Coordinates of all heavy atoms in Angstrom, one line a residue:
D488 N 92.7 72.4 129.9 CA 93.0 72.7 131.3 C 94.4 73.0 131.4 O 95.2 72.1 131.4 CB 92.5 71.6 132.2 CG 92.5 72.0 133.7 OD1 93.4 72.8 134.1 OD2 91.7 71.5 134.4
A489 N 94.8 74.3 131.6 CA 96.2 74.6 131.7 C 96.9 74.0 132.9 O 98.0 73.5 132.8 CB 96.4 76.2 131.8
A490 N 96.2 74.0 134.1 CA 96.8 73.4 135.3 C 97.0 71.9 135.1 O 98.1 71.4 135.5 CB 95.9 73.7 136.5
A491 N 96.1 71.2 134.6 CA 96.2 69.8 134.3 C 97.3 69.5 133.3 O 98.1 68.5 133.5 CB 94.9 69.2 133.9
E492 N 97.4 70.4 132.3 CA 98.5 70.2 131.3 C 99.9 70.3 132.0 O 100.8 69.6 131.7 CB 98.3 71.2 130.2 CG 99.2 71.0 129.0 CD 98.9 69.7 128.2 OE1 97.8 69.2 128.4 OE2 99.7 69.3 127.4
V493 N 100.0 71.3 132.9 CA 101.3 71.4 133.6 C 101.6 70.2 134.4 O 102.8 69.7 134.4 CB 101.2 72.7 134.5 CG1 102.5 72.7 135.5 CG2 101.2 73.9 133.7
D494 N 100.6 69.6 135.1 CA 100.9 68.4 135.9 C 101.3 67.2 135.0 O 102.2 66.5 135.3 CB 99.6 68.0 136.6 CG 99.3 69.0 137.7 OD1 100.2 69.7 138.2 OD2 98.1 69.1 138.1
R495 N 100.7 67.1 133.8 CA 101.1 66.1 132.9 C 102.5 66.2 132.4 O 103.3 65.3 132.2 CB 100.1 66.0 131.7 CG 98.7 65.4 132.1 CD 97.9 65.1 130.8 NE 97.5 66.3 130.2 CZ 96.3 66.9 130.4 NH1 95.5 66.4 131.3 NH2 95.9 68.0 129.8
I496 N 102.8 67.5 132.1 CA 104.2 67.8 131.6 C 105.2 67.4 132.7 O 106.2 66.8 132.4 CB 104.3 69.3 131.2 CG1 103.5 69.6 130.0 CG2 105.8 69.6 131.0 CD1 103.4 71.0 129.7
K497 N 104.9 67.8 133.9 CA 105.9 67.5 135.0 C 106.0 66.0 135.2 O 107.1 65.4 135.4 CB 105.4 68.1 136.3 CG 105.5 69.6 136.3 CD 105.0 70.2 137.7 CE 105.2 71.7 137.7 NZ 104.7 72.3 139.0
Q498 N 104.9 65.3 135.2 CA 104.9 63.8 135.3 C 105.7 63.1 134.2 O 106.5 62.2 134.5 CB 103.5 63.3 135.4 CG 103.4 61.8 135.7 CD 104.0 61.5 137.1 OE1 103.7 62.2 138.1 NE2 104.8 60.5 137.2
E499 N 105.5 63.6 133.0 CA 106.2 63.0 131.9 C 107.7 63.3 132.0 O 108.6 62.5 131.7 CB 105.7 63.6 130.5 CG 104.3 63.1 130.2 CD 103.8 63.8 128.9 OE1 104.5 64.7 128.4 OE2 102.7 63.5 128.5
S500 N 108.1 64.5 132.5 CA 109.5 64.8 132.7 C 110.1 63.9 133.8 O 111.2 63.4 133.6 CB 109.6 66.3 133.1 OG 109.1 67.2 132.1
Y501 N 109.4 63.7 134.9 CA 109.9 62.8 135.9 C 110.1 61.4 135.4 O 111.1 60.7 135.7 CB 109.0 62.8 137.2 CG 108.9 64.2 137.8 CD1 107.7 64.6 138.5 CD2 109.9 65.1 137.9 CE1 107.6 65.8 139.1 CE2 109.8 66.3 138.5 CZ 108.7 66.7 139.1 OH 108.6 67.9 139.7
D502 N 109.1 60.9 134.7 CA 109.2 59.5 134.2 C 110.4 59.4 133.2 O 111.1 58.4 133.3 CB 107.9 59.2 133.4 CG 106.7 59.1 134.4 OD1 106.9 59.0 135.6 OD2 105.6 59.1 133.9
A503 N 110.6 60.4 132.4 CA 111.7 60.4 131.5 C 113.1 60.4 132.2 O 114.0 59.7 131.8 CB 111.6 61.5 130.5
A504 N 113.1 61.2 133.3 CA 114.4 61.3 134.1 C 114.7 59.9 134.8 O 115.8 59.5 134.8 CB 114.3 62.4 135.1
V505 N 113.6 59.3 135.3 CA 113.9 58.0 135.9 C 114.4 57.0 134.9 O 115.3 56.2 135.2 CB 112.5 57.5 136.6 CG1 112.7 56.1 137.1 CG2 112.2 58.4 137.8
K506 N 113.8 57.0 133.8 CA 114.2 56.0 132.7 C 115.6 56.3 132.3 O 116.4 55.3 132.0 CB 113.3 56.1 131.5 CG 111.8 55.5 131.8 CD 110.9 55.7 130.6 CE 109.6 55.1 130.9 NZ 108.6 55.3 129.7
L507 N 116.0 57.6 132.3 CA 117.4 57.9 131.9 C 118.4 57.4 132.9 O 119.4 56.8 132.6 CB 117.5 59.4 131.7 CG 118.9 60.0 131.3 CD1 119.3 59.4 130.0 CD2 118.9 61.5 131.3
V508 N 118.1 57.5 134.2 CA 119.0 57.0 135.3 C 119.0 55.5 135.2 O 120.1 54.9 135.3 CB 118.5 57.5 136.6 CG1 119.3 56.9 137.7 CG2 118.6 59.0 136.7
E509 N 117.9 54.9 135.0 CA 117.9 53.4 135.0 C 118.7 52.9 133.8 O 119.4 51.8 133.9 CB 116.4 52.9 134.9 CG 115.6 53.1 136.1 CD 114.2 52.7 136.0 OE1 113.8 52.5 134.8 OE2 113.5 52.6 137.0
A510 N 118.7 53.6 132.7 CA 119.4 53.1 131.5 C 120.9 53.4 131.5 O 121.7 52.6 131.0 CB 118.7 53.7 130.2
T511 N 121.2 54.6 132.1 CA 122.6 55.0 132.0 C 123.3 55.1 133.3 O 124.6 55.2 133.4 CB 122.7 56.4 131.3 OG1 122.1 57.4 132.1 CG2 122.1 56.3 129.9
G512 N 122.5 55.2 134.4 CA 123.1 55.4 135.7 C 123.7 56.8 135.9 O 124.4 57.1 136.9
N513 N 123.4 57.7 135.0 CA 123.9 59.1 135.0 C 122.9 60.0 135.6 O 122.0 60.5 135.0 CB 124.2 59.5 133.6 CG 125.0 60.8 133.6 OD1 125.0 61.6 134.5 ND2 125.7 61.1 132.4
A514 N 123.0 60.2 137.0 CA 122.0 61.0 137.7 C 122.2 62.5 137.3 O 121.2 63.3 137.3 CB 122.2 60.9 139.2
A515 N 123.4 62.9 136.9 CA 123.7 64.3 136.6 C 122.9 64.7 135.3 O 122.3 65.8 135.2 CB 125.2 64.6 136.4
A516 N 122.8 63.7 134.3 CA 122.1 64.0 133.1 C 120.6 64.1 133.4 O 119.9 64.9 132.8 CB 122.4 62.9 132.1
A517 N 120.1 63.3 134.3 CA 118.7 63.4 134.7 C 118.4 64.7 135.4 O 117.3 65.3 135.1 CB 118.3 62.2 135.6
A518 N 119.3 65.1 136.2 CA 119.1 66.4 136.9 C 119.1 67.6 135.9 O 118.3 68.5 136.0 CB 120.2 66.6 137.9
Q519 N 120.0 67.5 134.9 CA 120.0 68.5 133.9 C 118.7 68.5 133.1 O 118.1 69.6 132.7 CB 121.2 68.3 132.9 CG 121.3 69.4 131.9 CD 122.5 69.1 131.0 OE1 123.2 68.1 131.1 NE2 122.7 70.0 130.0
M520 N 118.1 67.3 132.8 CA 116.8 67.2 132.1 C 115.7 67.9 132.9 O 114.9 68.6 132.3 CB 116.5 65.8 131.8 CG 115.1 65.6 131.2 SD 114.7 63.8 131.1 CE 115.9 63.3 129.9
L521 N 115.7 67.7 134.2 CA 114.7 68.3 135.0 C 114.9 69.8 135.4 O 114.1 70.5 136.0 CB 114.5 67.5 136.3 CG 114.0 66.1 136.2 CD1 114.1 65.4 137.5 CD2 112.6 66.1 135.6
G522 N 116.1 70.3 135.0 CA 116.4 71.7 135.3 C 116.8 71.9 136.8 O 116.6 73.0 137.3
V523 N 117.3 70.9 137.5 CA 117.7 71.1 138.9 C 119.2 70.8 139.0 O 119.8 70.1 138.2 CB 116.9 70.1 139.8 CG1 115.4 70.5 139.7 CG2 117.2 68.7 139.4
P524 N 119.9 71.4 140.0 CA 121.3 71.1 140.2 C 121.6 69.7 140.6 O 120.8 69.1 141.3 CB 121.7 72.1 141.2 CG 120.5 72.4 142.0 CD 119.4 72.3 141.0
P525 N 122.7 69.1 140.1 CA 123.0 67.7 140.5 C 123.4 67.6 141.9 O 123.8 68.6 142.5 CB 124.2 67.4 139.6 CG 124.8 68.7 139.2 CD 123.7 69.7 139.2
V526 N 123.2 66.4 142.5 CA 123.5 66.2 143.9 C 125.0 65.9 144.0 O 125.5 65.1 143.3 CB 122.7 65.0 144.5 CG1 123.1 64.7 145.9 CG2 121.2 65.3 144.4
T527 N 125.7 66.6 145.0 CA 127.1 66.4 145.2 C 127.3 65.5 146.4 O 126.5 65.5 147.4 CB 127.8 67.7 145.4 OG1 127.2 68.4 146.6 CG2 127.7 68.6 144.2
T528 N 128.3 64.6 146.4 CA 128.6 63.7 147.5 C 129.9 63.9 148.1 O 130.4 63.0 148.9 CB 128.5 62.2 146.9 OG1 129.5 62.1 145.9 CG2 127.1 61.9 146.3
T529 N 130.6 65.0 147.9 CA 131.9 65.3 148.5 C 131.8 65.4 150.0 O 130.8 66.0 150.5 CB 132.5 66.5 147.9 OG1 131.6 67.6 148.1 CG2 132.7 66.4 146.4
G530 N 132.7 64.8 150.7 CA 132.8 65.0 152.1 C 132.1 63.9 152.9 O 132.1 63.9 154.1
L531 N 131.5 62.9 152.2 CA 130.8 61.8 152.9 C 131.8 60.8 153.3 O 132.8 60.4 152.6 CB 129.8 61.2 151.9 CG 128.6 62.0 151.5 CD1 127.7 61.3 150.6 CD2 127.8 62.5 152.7

Side-chain angles (χ1 to χ4, degrees):
D488 189 328
E492 188 71 15
V493 170
D494 292 338
R495 286 191 290 267
I496 292 173
K497 289 180 179 179
Q498 187 60 48
E499 290 174 0
S500 299
Y501 295 148
D502 293 343
V505 170
K506 291 178 180 178
L507 179 62
V508 173
E509 291 175 348
T511 66
N513 190 342
Q519 183 179 4
M520 174 185 294
L521 294 175
V523 298
V526 177
T527 59
T528 59
T529 58
L531 293 179

